[in-house]
């Protein structure tokens, strides 16, 4: 056999073997999911919340045309809260936590029903950074609670005990814009100020996007789909308005006078306790 023929046969069998290996490799890969090195943290199943360790759930990869509503019907609200994510941030290519039994997450809250240190206060707000969750207490009893998006690593929400000292229904950020330098100032509807740092920067609880992880520059964001629809055009039918609920409970007109939407400092606002550290992202 000529040398040229031998070279052809070697090349043929090499290609055959390599091709077979590639086919096997492609067939053996895992189902689509966010990359383990995902810096954008699109895989929410990798975020560890202590309250979920005993709960049964599995990762759910979001495929094209899938939404929380199409997947879970009326229970989409509980799945969103369980994942600390809003509908605008659930998109193809990301992964969420899907509970194995919906009844396990209806009414889910990681906060205690009673808080002894809050009993001396008529109104008391607890923010748990590790759980990314905030709750409203009256005389130590939890009245309601909701997910939150706090400061991310490097711009953490300050820890400690504070007091709500100002309210502003139509607040906007003085530092950040929606779409870079050319956009409008970022809306911060239903803003409750609780801290001013050494640089004279105010920290607020306010309406915000919830991407399912700590994401802010230090403020505390709550669901407000009405703000999202007005600002981003979705969702078309707003449902979740947690920021308004917290605002109306914390600083009602009946206690602090008529609210005309302007910035207003207040006295004797509710106490806010911020505790914990940021959740672990595996």
């Amino acid at each position: 056999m000529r040398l040229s023929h031998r070279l052809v046969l070697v090349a043929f069998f090499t290609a055959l073997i390599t091709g077979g290996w590639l086919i096997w490799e492609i067939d053996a890969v895992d189902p689509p999911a966010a990359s383990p090195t995902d810096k954008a943290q699109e895989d929410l199943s990798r975020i560890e919340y202590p309250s979920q360790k005993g709960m049964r759930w599995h990762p759910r990869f979001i495929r094209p045309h899938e939404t929380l509503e199409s997947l879970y019907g009326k229970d989409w609200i509980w799945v969103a809260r369980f994942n600390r994510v809003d509908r605008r941030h659930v998109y193809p290519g990301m992964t969420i936590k899907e509970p194995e039994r919906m009844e396990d997450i209806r009414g889910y809250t990681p906060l205690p029903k009673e808080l002894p240190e809050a009993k001396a206060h008529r109104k008391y707000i607890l923010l748990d950074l590790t759980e990314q969750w905030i709750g409203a207490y009256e005389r130590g009893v939890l009245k309601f609670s909701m997910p939150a998006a706090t400061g991310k690593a490097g711009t953490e929400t300050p820890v400690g005990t504070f007091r709500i000292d100002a309210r502003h229904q139509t607040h906007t950020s003085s530092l950040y814009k929606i779409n870079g330098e050319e956009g409008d100032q970022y809306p911060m509807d239903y803003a409750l100020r609780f801290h001013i740092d050494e640089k004279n920067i105010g920290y607020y609880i306010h309406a915000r996007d919830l991407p399912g992880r700590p994401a802010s520059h230090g403020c505390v964001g709550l669901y407000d789909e009405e703000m999202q629809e007005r600002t981003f055009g979705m969702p078309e039918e707003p449902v979740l308005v947690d920021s308004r609920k917290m605002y109306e409970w914390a600083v009602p007109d009946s206690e602090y006078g008529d609210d005309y939407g302007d910035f207003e400092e207040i006295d004797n606002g509710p106490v806010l306790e911020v505790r914990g550290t940021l959740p672990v992202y595996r």
Side-chain angles (χ1 to χ4, degrees), residues 69-164:
E69 296 99 312
S70 69
L71 290 171
Y72 307 112
K74 293 182 179 180
D75 281 320
W76 75 262
I77 293 175
W78 298 116
V79 177
R81 292 187 182 280
F82 190 66
N83 283 275
R84 286 80 160 155
V85 70
D86 59 47
R87 284 185 280 178
R88 198 171 74 88
H89 283 87
V90 175
Y91 47 83
M94 71 171 301
T95 303
I96 64 173
K97 295 176 181 177
E98 181 176 85
E100 295 190 6
R101 301 189 334 145
M102 284 298 165
E103 49 265 41
D104 290 343
I105 68 166
R106 295 190 188 113
Y108 165 78
T109 177
L111 300 186
K113 299 296 184 182
E114 295 187 5
L115 192 66
E117 55 266 44
K119 288 184 178 180
H121 301 272
R122 191 169 59 85
K123 291 184 179 181
Y124 192 98
I125 303 171
L126 173 64
L127 172 62
D128 189 322
L129 298 178
T130 311
E131 290 285 357
Q132 292 290 287
W133 208 272
I134 192 169
Y137 290 82
E138 294 181 4
R139 296 298 180 190
V141 178
L142 183 65
K143 304 303 293 184
F144 60 86
S145 70
M146 54 195 62
T150 71
K152 61 184 181 295
T155 57
E156 292 89 345
T157 300
V159 175
T161 302
F162 310 91
R163 187 176 287 276
I164 304 300

Side-chain angles (χ1 to χ4, degrees), residues 128-280:
D128 189 322
L129 298 178
T130 311
E131 290 285 357
Q132 292 290 287
W133 208 272
I134 192 169
Y137 290 82
E138 294 181 4
R139 296 298 180 190
V141 178
L142 183 65
K143 304 303 293 184
F144 60 86
S145 70
M146 54 195 62
T150 71
K152 61 184 181 295
T155 57
E156 292 89 345
T157 300
V159 175
T161 302
F162 310 91
R163 187 176 287 276
I164 304 300
D165 65 0
R167 65 179 182 177
H168 193 186
Q169 260 192 66
T170 57
H171 193 63
T172 58
S173 174
S174 61
L175 299 174
Y176 307 106
K177 296 186 177 183
I178 299 172
N179 295 310
E181 294 301 320
E182 302 302 322
D184 296 330
Q185 299 301 127
Y186 190 88
M188 298 168 60
D189 294 10
Y190 301 110
L192 300 167
R193 191 179 69 186
F194 63 89
H195 178 58
I196 301 176
D197 69 12
E198 64 279 0
K199 297 180 181 178
N200 202 35
I201 295 176
Y203 290 73
Y204 293 81
I205 300 170
H206 63 85
R208 194 194 187 284
D209 291 3
L210 265 70
R213 63 182 187 277
S216 81
H217 292 89
C219 286
V220 180
L222 305 181
Y223 282 131
D224 192 323
E225 292 189 333
E226 290 179 349
M227 178 276 289
Q228 288 187 311
E229 193 279 330
R230 184 183 77 242
T231 305
F232 305 108
M234 65 176 298
E236 293 181 359
E237 297 181 4
V239 174
L240 301 173
V241 285
D242 288 359
S243 62
R244 184 176 68 195
K245 182 175 183 178
M246 178 63 77
Y247 185 92
E248 292 177 348
W249 172 84
V251 291
D253 292 6
S254 59
E255 296 181 30
Y256 297 96
D258 292 337
D259 188 344
Y260 298 104
D262 300 322
F263 177 85
E264 180 184 5
E265 293 186 345
I266 61 174
D267 296 321
N268 300 315
V271 170
L272 167 66
E273 178 190 352
V274 182
R275 64 167 63 165
T277 57
L278 294 182
V280 175

